[in-house]
């Protein structure tokens, strides 16, 4: 364990002070936890600067944290609770209230719905891995007492599939490339080996810094000689620095992965020792891979057969190496099979749990116990009422939520029961974020009788639905703990320290505790937020919250080759924590759930191959949502420094394709398909294939009228109106957000 003992708050003679902290959210971010210093003067956050002593981020920050002062002190921020009469939903008619008044409205409503219709009539909506993600499950399960916690993105298409596949196939938490994250001395640690290659499969971490992986580590490793390989339809910045780039047709990834496996097995390049001792079902995988020759797969994917062979040979012969898999694995109805094939590639090349390969955590999550325990507040009967639990056992075994698509169906049909109350904790999902066909969600959500929204600004979702609005502090304004990868295979745990507080806000954990004490006090026996964290930290790590503040970062020790020493399994036996004790190249679980036990390729639901007639009318493959530095989903649209860089929704199109349509750079265009349409500004760029267009997501325009029907222009650049609901895989996962089809035409007027 590393100890960095430096004061966490330094007060200057003039009364100004600096607080050392780790970042998370709000404003949005995954648990990356970059280290920074917050400078406060005259009650204002005046400057944010990177902390060079943080072992992971080492002083580097991206533009979202650098502009945090603009966010914290934004004139449009809402910093007092508000209420609105039900008939005024959609109208900007609010009344400021105190927290006590807010609780006096909310608590009796919850009690009434529970008594009249059962706790399951209440649904808590939450979005991606923000700080809220640690707390919206407890908010639902233990503060309110409902089993219905919903992440509404179709097919749970973010991390859910990847984490579940890893559980099914490896019996472990999210596997990440070994970037020496658990070592205080990082790459200089004698146990560490610099990988020969790293493959980014549908992931662009320089922009996305996802879930505890800081993108700059790739630059560190490039400088140390690591070769990069990109599997991406767009030529990214990293792509231009890579040894190989496979610019594939969006959504054909599983075929490509199986072709790599085909070459590695047929050319006898696989790690025979690892396969013999630690893999289950190799012969079956070998047989399946015969269906995916490089020539056949070249036709499917647009990646030349010779390149497929070269990449496969390079991966198998250079060791160690690692695959980083991204959102393109989740946002794919064939993504479970893709994830299975990617993990199989890591296994048969002998790169699991070795220095410079793929890291795997022990079975228990750091700080994970209490989150699981909050479920004890729910009876088994109530737990069984979770929406979609029966219909989608694979998903609902792995994810403690409702099935997202079933939840929309339930809202629309009132079956199996009617949902009455919504608590919107961290999703602004009628913007093009956590919903496919948000127009359907918008209509369906109108049936809810009472809604609470927690947020920092008035969003389209809050304007449309909130009866009570509860304001949140930013991460600069409240205490917290950041734990990368939510504790499973975490590289560190860090303190988030309150530096100031603007207005009368409450953080997610403050709300959980206060509401919990009113409704289920037995579950919330904590005197304060400090006490809460101390009670979680002490039994596991032997430190209290103040110790964590002082030592700043806790890095768990990492051991390699744990499959040999019994540290991957809960029973302490050697092997992997799966049914067979091995890496399941052939899954023992999938068949029981009605799925093929081996990976296979399936065409996207709409594509030049599966719907050739439609493709004549909608002749572009549409991929969406590749991340940018300037926003986190629907957030940051009010921050003028960031809007100056990215003022509008953007569509990338190849210059040759644009020329045929008479489109020039900066023109306003419409993307349209059989489900919806969306405006964007055209960006002409050779980085994209002439038959593919890419649209950013998360757009709304805070400067536009907020009241209905405009809702801050939410329907103008709403790319998710083109993404269909419930086009999911057999286990309930995946959606076609990165592989739809559309047509494109120039329009005169923008937004
Ligand atoms: N700045 C910023 N950072 C973020 C977020 C944000 O909104 N803003 N969101 C966070 C969240 S919730 C997530 S899940 C992560 C996601 O972060 P990543 O996993 O990095 O995913 P994306 O940026 O969506 O896409 C990565 C790459 O996939 C490529 N791609 C598109 N279609 C396909 C395909 O069919 N196959 C393949 N192989 N590649 C394809 C895109 O061109 C893009 O370069 O980012 C997190 N970080
Ligand atoms: N077309 C397309 N759509 C996509 C994607 C794509 O690639 N393409 N990506 C999808 C993915 S991977 C994801 S994860 C979803 C993300 O979707 P969501 O995570 O639902 O993101 P938002 O809709 O921006 O809603 C988040 C809201 O929470 C508030 N918030 C920020 N921080 C906190 C916090 O700590 N606590 C609380 N309580 N609230 C907070 C924000 O102000 C914001 O209004 O979008 C998905 N949508
Ligand atoms: S990734 Fe960017 S926004 Fe997130 S904590 Fe680090 S610097 Fe801040
Ligand atoms: Mo996500």
């Amino acid at each position: 364990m590393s100890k960095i003992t430096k004061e966490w708050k330094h007060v200057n003679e003039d009364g100004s002070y600096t607080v050392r902290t780790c970042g998370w959210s709000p404003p949005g971010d995954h648990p990356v936890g970059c280290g920074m210093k917050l400078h406060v003067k005259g009650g204002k956050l005046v400057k944010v600067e990177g902390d060079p002593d943080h072992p992971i981020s080492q002083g580097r920050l991206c533009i979202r944290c650098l502009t945090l002062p603009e966010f914290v002190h934004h004139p449009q921020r809402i910093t007092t609770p508000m209420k609105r009469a039900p008939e005024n939903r959609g109208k900007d008619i609010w009344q400021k209230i105190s927290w006590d008044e807010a609780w006096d409205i909310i608590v009796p409503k919850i009690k009434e719905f529970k008594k009249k219709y059962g706790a399951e009539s209440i649904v808590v909506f939450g979005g991606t891995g923000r700080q809220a993600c640690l707390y919206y499950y407890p908010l639902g399960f233990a503060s309110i007492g409902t089993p219905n916690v919903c992440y509404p993105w179709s097919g749970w298409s973010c991390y859910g599939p990847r984490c579940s596949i890893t559980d099914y196939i490896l019996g472990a938490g999210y596997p990440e490339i070994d970037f020496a994250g658990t070592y205080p001395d990082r790459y200089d640690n004698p146990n560490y080996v610099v990988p020969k290659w790293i493959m980014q499969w549908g992931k662009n971490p320089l922009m996305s810094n996802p879930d505890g992986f800081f993108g700059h580590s790739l630059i560190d490793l490039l400088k140390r000689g690591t070769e990069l390989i990109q599997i991406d339809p767009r030529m990214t910045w990293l792509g231009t620095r890579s040894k190989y780039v496979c610019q594939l047709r969006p959504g054909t990834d599983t075929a490509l992965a199986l072709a790599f496996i085909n070459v590695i097995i047929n050319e006898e390049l696989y790690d025979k020792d690892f396969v013999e001792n630690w893999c289950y079902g190799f012969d079956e995988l070998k047989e399946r891979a015969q269906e995916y020759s490089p020539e056949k797969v070249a036709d499917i994917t647009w990646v030349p057969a010779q390149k497929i062979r070269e990449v496969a040979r390079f991966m198998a012969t250079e060791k160690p190496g690692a695959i980083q898999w991204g959102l393109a694995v989740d946002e794919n109805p064939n993504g479970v099979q893709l994830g299975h094939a990617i993990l199989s590639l890591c296994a048969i090349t002998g790169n699991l749990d070795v220095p410079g390969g793929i890291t795997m955590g022990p079975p228990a999550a750091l700080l994970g116990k209490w989150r699981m325990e909050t479920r004890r507040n729910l009876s088994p009967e109530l737990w069984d009422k979770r929406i979609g639990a029966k219909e989608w056992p694979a998903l609902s075994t792995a994810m403690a939520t409702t099935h997202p698509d079933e939840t929309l169906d339930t809202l629309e049909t009132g079956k199996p029961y009617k949902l009455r109350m919504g608590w919107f904790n961290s999703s602004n999902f009628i913007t093009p974020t956590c919903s496919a066909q948000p127009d359907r969600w918008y209509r369906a959500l109108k049936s809810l009788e009472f809604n609470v929204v927690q947020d920092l600004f008035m969003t389209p979702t809050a304007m449309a639905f909130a009866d009570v609005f509860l304001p949140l502090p930013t991460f600069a304004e409240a205490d917290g703990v950041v734990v990368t990868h939510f504790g499973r295979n975490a590289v560190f745990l860090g303190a988030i320290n309150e530096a100031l507080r603007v207005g009368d806000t409450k953080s997610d954990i403050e709300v959980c505790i206060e509401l919990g004490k009113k409704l289920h006090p037995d579950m919330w026996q904590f005197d304060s937020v400090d006490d809460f964290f101390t009670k979680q930290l002490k039994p596991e790590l032997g430190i209290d919250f103040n110790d964590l503040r002082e030592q700043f970062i806790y890095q768990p020790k990492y051991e390699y080759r744990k499959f040999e020493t019994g540290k991957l399994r809960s029973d302490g036996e050697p092997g992997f924590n799966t049914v067979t004790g091995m890496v399941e190249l052939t899954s023992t679980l999938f068949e029981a759930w009605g799925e093929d036990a081996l990976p296979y390729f399936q065409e996207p639901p709409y594509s030049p191959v599966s719907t050739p007639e439609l493709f004549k009318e909608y002749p572009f493959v549409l991929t969406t949502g590749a991340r940018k530095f300037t926003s986190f989903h629907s957030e940051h649209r009010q921050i003028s420094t960031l809007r100056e860089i990215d003022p509008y929704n953007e569509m990338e199109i190849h210059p040759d394709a644009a020329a045929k349509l008479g489109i020039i750079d900066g023109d306003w265009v419409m993307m349209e398909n059989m489900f919806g349409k969306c405006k964007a500004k055209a960006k002409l760029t050779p980085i994209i294939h002439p038959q593919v267009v890419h649209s950013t997501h998360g757009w709304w325009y805070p400067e536009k009228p907020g009241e209905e029907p405009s809702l801050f222009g939410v329907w103008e650049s709403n790319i998710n109106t083109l993404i269909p609901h419930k086009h999911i895989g057999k286990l309930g996962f995946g959606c076609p957000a990165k592989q739809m089809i559309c047509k494109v035409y120039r329009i005169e007027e923008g937004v």
Side-chain angles (χ1 to χ4, degrees), residues 447-469:
S447 65
L448 292 171
E449 292 160 33
F450 178 69
N451 295 315
V452 177
V453 176
Q454 284 177 278
D455 219 310
L456 298 98
F457 288 92
M458 187 52 61
T459 65
T461 307
M463 183 61 95
F465 302 114
D467 298 304
V468 176
F469 186 108

Side-chain angles (χ1 to χ4, degrees), residues 53-326:
D53 294 326
H54 187 290
I56 311 294
S57 55
Q58 298 171 338
R60 294 167 291 194
L61 292 182
C62 72
I63 194 166
R64 296 193 310 285
C65 271
L66 292 170
T67 52
L68 190 62
E70 268 184 72
F71 197 105
V72 169
H73 300 292
H74 198 284
Q76 281 154 11
R77 240 190 94 182
I78 295 167
T79 54
T80 324
M82 302 195 300
K83 70 172 181 183
R84 181 172 62 177
E87 64 274 18
N88 287 334
R89 276 196 198 167
K91 293 192 190 136
D92 200 11
I93 301 176
W94 300 92
Q95 194 184 332
K96 287 186 182 171
I97 52 175
S98 68
W99 278 92
D100 281 342
E101 285 172 278
W103 293 137
D104 286 347
I105 300 169
I106 294 168
V107 172
K109 280 277 182 199
I110 293 177
K111 285 186 177 159
E112 180 193 328
F113 287 123
K114 280 166 97 168
K115 196 163 164 225
K116 275 203 200 150
Y117 310 109
E120 69 277 12
S121 65
I122 304 171
V123 55
V124 173
F125 295 107
T128 190
R130 300 179 177 84
Q131 216 182 142
C133 226
L134 277 183
Y135 307 115
Y136 62 71
Y137 297 79
L139 172 71
F141 302 156
S143 296
I144 296 172
T146 174
N148 284 329
V149 169
C150 175
Y151 170 80
W153 186 215
S154 180
W156 231 116
S157 299
C158 169
Y159 278 93
R162 274 176 284 164
C163 294
S164 306
I165 301 157
T166 311
D167 251 336
Y168 307 148
I169 303 302
L170 299 183
Y174 188 72
E176 188 49 273
I177 62 161
D178 186 358
F179 60 107
T182 49
Y183 304 126
D185 50 350
R186 299 292 303 277
Y187 314 104
D188 297 331
N189 189 283
N191 292 333
Y192 185 66
V193 175
V194 170
K196 290 276 182 3
W197 56 269
I198 298 177
M199 176 182 266
Q200 270 77 44
W201 198 306
K203 179 168 192 148
N204 189 13
L206 268 196
M207 300 275 181
S208 60
N209 286 321
D211 263 25
F213 179 76
F214 195 89
H216 278 269
S217 301
L218 289 174
I219 311 294
D220 297 345
L221 288 169
L222 262 177
K223 288 181 186 160
R224 285 164 175 77
T226 302
E227 302 275 14
L228 299 183
I229 308 167
Q230 305 297 313
I231 313 293
D232 198 312
R234 296 160 62 245
M235 176 65 74
T236 61
W237 188 93
L238 285 174
T240 62
R241 274 107 181 133
S242 294
K243 185 173 174 75
Y244 297 107
V245 179
C246 297
Q247 264 187 289
L248 80 174
R249 170 159 69 92
T252 60
D253 303 62
T254 316
L256 185 62
L258 282 158
F260 290 148
I261 293 174
N262 170 300
V263 175
I264 292 170
I265 294 181
N266 289 352
E267 297 191 8
E268 302 260 339
L269 301 174
Y270 58 94
D271 185 325
K272 299 204 175 62
D273 184 55
F274 188 83
V275 165
E276 205 163 290
N277 290 306
W278 305 107
C279 293
Y280 171 81
F282 177 76
D283 293 339
E284 291 88 334
L285 179 66
K286 179 175 177 179
E287 201 185 321
R288 175 60 54 87
Q290 301 315 308
E291 296 168 29
Y292 297 90
S293 70
E295 280 68 25
K296 178 176 162 190
V297 168
D299 287 344
I300 299 172
T301 60
W302 304 340
V303 181
Q306 188 50 28
K307 188 184 271 185
I308 296 176
R309 288 201 168 83
E310 275 179 39
V311 174
R313 286 172 189 151
F314 181 70
M315 286 165 76
T317 49
E318 296 287 332
K319 282 186 187 181
I323 306 179
Q324 242 188 346
W325 50 345

Side-chain angles (χ1 to χ4, degrees), residues 493-511:
L493 194 137
I496 302 174
N497 297 317
E498 178 169 337
L500 76 168
R501 185 82 70 135
V502 177
D504 193 10
T505 62
K506 286 191 200 295
S507 70
D508 289 301
I509 183 61
E510 288 167 344
V511 164

Side-chain angles (χ1 to χ4, degrees), residues 562-605:
K562 294 185 288 299
F563 49 87
E564 287 173 347
T565 56
K567 290 186 179 148
L568 283 182
R569 287 182 60 88
S570 358
D571 61 9
E573 291 294 316
F576 292 80
N577 206 17
T578 55
V579 177
T580 56
M582 307 237 184
V583 176
E584 298 203 349
L585 303 178
T586 302
S587 167
T588 51
L589 295 172
F590 287 1
E591 270 179 331
W593 288 321
E595 182 55 285
D596 193 328
L598 288 156
Y600 59 88
F601 168 63
Q602 193 175 339
E603 265 292 326

